[in-house]
Amino acid sequence: MRMRRIRNNPILRSMTAETSLDVKDLIYPLFVIEGENIKKEIPSLPGVYHFSVDRLEEEIQDIVDLKIPAVILFGVVDHKDSCGSGAYDDNGIIQQACRKIKDITSDLVVITDLCMCEYTDHGHCGILDDTGMVDNDKTLDYLAKIAVSHAKAGSDVIAPSDMMDFRVSKIRGALDENGFKDIPIMSYAAKFASKYYGPFRDAAGSSPSFGDRKSYQMDFHNGDEALREIAQDLDEDADFIIVKPGLAYLDVLARAKDHFNTNFITYNVSGEYAMILKAIECGIFDESIIMENMIAMKRAGAKMIITYHAKWLARQLKEGHHA
């Protein structure tokens, strides 16, 4: 067979494309900050902004008009303490944002990132023990409390990103006991300790004040371990599985998709976003590289993609521009 017979015809090439991207595949991250009348671009994430709750309406309407179906919320707070109490405050920044978005529209799935690093004064993702290490089991009670608070505020999906062992089971139990049996859990099951998170940590104010997160986030040398993490979270009743970061971990995503019949999501993280924008700015690539990267993630097995490019991609798709 001459493989080029089909490639030579652009219409046939399009008709036989094995992988496609649709706006319904996109999840857009939003950073919500304390204060009033704030819409401020994040220096390390060009085109991405901090919003105060009172400035969310215009942004949410834009997202809805673009037909992006879901957002994932991250909170940025001034007050922090050792137990991250702002994370489970029923009037906390994420809780306020959930209620605000639900007042604006019912046409958007609101996913809430569940972690403690933005709210603790030490910047780690849980409660510290006397040695300065994160106490896995003590942290679980706090994660469950945060999850219930998010659900009460209107979160449609809870997305734990802390990487504590057994947290999906603990959160599922707490949600069920409090009348939220139908709230899905989108687990960051394979979240690697990665340098690609740098711009996000600036944006969320979540860098650890000492040490690193290698004791609870995954070692980037390991792929088999990721499959064990995913299997455990599915056994604990996770509804969606996130592989994070995206581009450098597509092998993990592809292997996981071959092993498990579930809905996989990849997070096209802040460092990947910033790196691509800088390359475009320098003339190394044109913007079509963004679409190529998204197709690579879909081809590897992603059902959905969390990406800061979501609004740009939605506009491209709306105008009929496909890679």
Side-chain angles (χ1 to χ4, degrees):
M1 178 181 180
R2 287 185 182 271
M3 304 298 286
R4 289 187 57 191
R5 288 173 187 150
I6 293 173
R7 295 176 194 157
N8 282 336
N9 186 312
I11 298 174
L12 287 175
R13 190 167 63 242
S14 176
M15 291 172 67
T16 56
E18 298 173 16
T19 309
S20 61
L21 181 74
D22 191 275
V23 69
K24 67 179 173 58
D25 304 328
L26 303 174
I27 299 169
Y28 188 51
L30 278 178
F31 293 94
V32 190
I33 194 169
E34 292 179 332
E36 295 181 352
N37 195 31
I38 298 170
K39 179 185 177 182
K40 184 177 181 182
E41 189 171 32
I42 300 167
S44 57
L45 289 171
V48 181
Y49 294 81
H50 283 135
F51 290 95
S52 54
V53 172
D54 61 317
R55 291 292 302 272
L56 277 175
E57 185 160 3
E58 181 181 347
E59 180 73 351
I60 293 301
Q61 194 56 58
D62 189 30
I63 292 165
V64 171
D65 289 346
L66 288 168
K67 300 190 182 306
I68 295 170
V71 294
I72 183 166
L73 302 183
F74 300 93
V76 184
V77 298
D78 296 324
H79 171 73
K80 303 186 181 193
D81 56 34
S82 62
C83 62
S85 62
Y88 53 84
D89 183 343
D90 286 342
N91 199 38
I93 191 65
I94 291 297
Q95 291 81 351
Q96 291 180 48
C98 281
R99 292 191 289 267
K100 179 69 172 179
I101 294 170
K102 291 300 180 180
D103 285 344
I104 296 167
T105 183
S106 59
D107 295 330
L108 199 62
V109 170
V110 177
I111 305 164
T112 51
D113 180 85
L114 192 166
C115 198
M116 298 178 68
C117 58
E118 297 105 313
Y119 305 91
T120 55
D121 52 14
H122 46 75
H124 281 281
C125 301
I127 303 299
L128 301 185
D129 63 19
D130 293 339
T131 69
M133 294 289 289
V134 173
D135 187 323
N136 188 100
D137 295 356
K138 187 177 291 186
T139 298
L140 298 182
D141 291 331
Y142 287 85
L143 297 175
K145 191 186 301 188
I146 298 166
V148 171
S149 179
H150 286 188
K152 286 179 178 177
S155 175
D156 296 302
V157 182
I158 306 296
S161 61
D162 54 281
M163 287 297 289
M164 297 299 117
D165 292 331
F166 316 122
R167 89 287 201 178
V168 172
S169 178
K170 187 73 172 183
I171 291 166
R172 182 74 273 158
L175 290 172
D176 291 356
E177 289 166 11
N178 284 274
F180 298 109
K181 293 180 183 294
D182 293 330
I183 300 288
I185 295 175
M186 182 181 287
S187 173
Y188 291 73
K191 179 179 179 181
F192 290 82
S194 171
K195 294 297 184 183
Y196 281 106
Y197 306 148
F200 174 91
R201 290 178 179 172
D202 290 340
S206 62
S207 295
S209 60
F210 66 92
D212 55 42
R213 297 181 178 143
K214 292 180 179 178
S215 69
Y216 44 99
Q217 293 181 357
M218 282 192 58
D219 185 343
F220 63 77
H221 298 86
N222 299 348
D224 292 345
E225 183 184 357
L227 301 185
R228 295 196 293 273
E229 288 276 10
I230 292 166
Q232 180 170 303
D233 283 8
L234 289 173
D235 284 345
E236 293 178 25
D237 212 8
D239 301 277
F240 302 92
I241 295 294
I242 298 175
V243 175
K244 179 184 180 185
L247 290 173
Y249 297 82
L250 295 185
D251 62 314
V252 174
L253 176 60
R255 289 182 64 194
K257 184 67 168 63
D258 286 343
H259 274 77
F260 304 103
N261 181 21
T262 193
N263 291 304
F264 281 98
I265 296 147
T266 192
Y267 196 147
N268 178 217
V269 297
S270 60
E272 297 167 354
Y273 172 84
M275 181 172 62
I276 288 295
L277 288 193
K278 180 59 70 173
I280 292 169
E281 180 186 322
C282 293
I284 297 170
F285 304 124
D286 63 32
E287 288 181 324
S288 66
I289 192 71
I290 300 170
M291 190 72 76
E292 183 177 342
N293 286 343
M294 298 303 116
I295 293 296
M297 295 176 198
K298 289 295 300 293
R299 195 176 62 243
K303 183 74 172 176
M304 290 166 272
I305 303 169
I306 303 170
T307 178
Y308 303 93
H309 295 295
K311 291 175 68 176
W312 181 88
L313 288 161
R315 293 188 183 100
Q316 295 295 302
L317 293 167
K318 190 175 184 179
E319 294 169 8
H321 301 308
H322 300 270

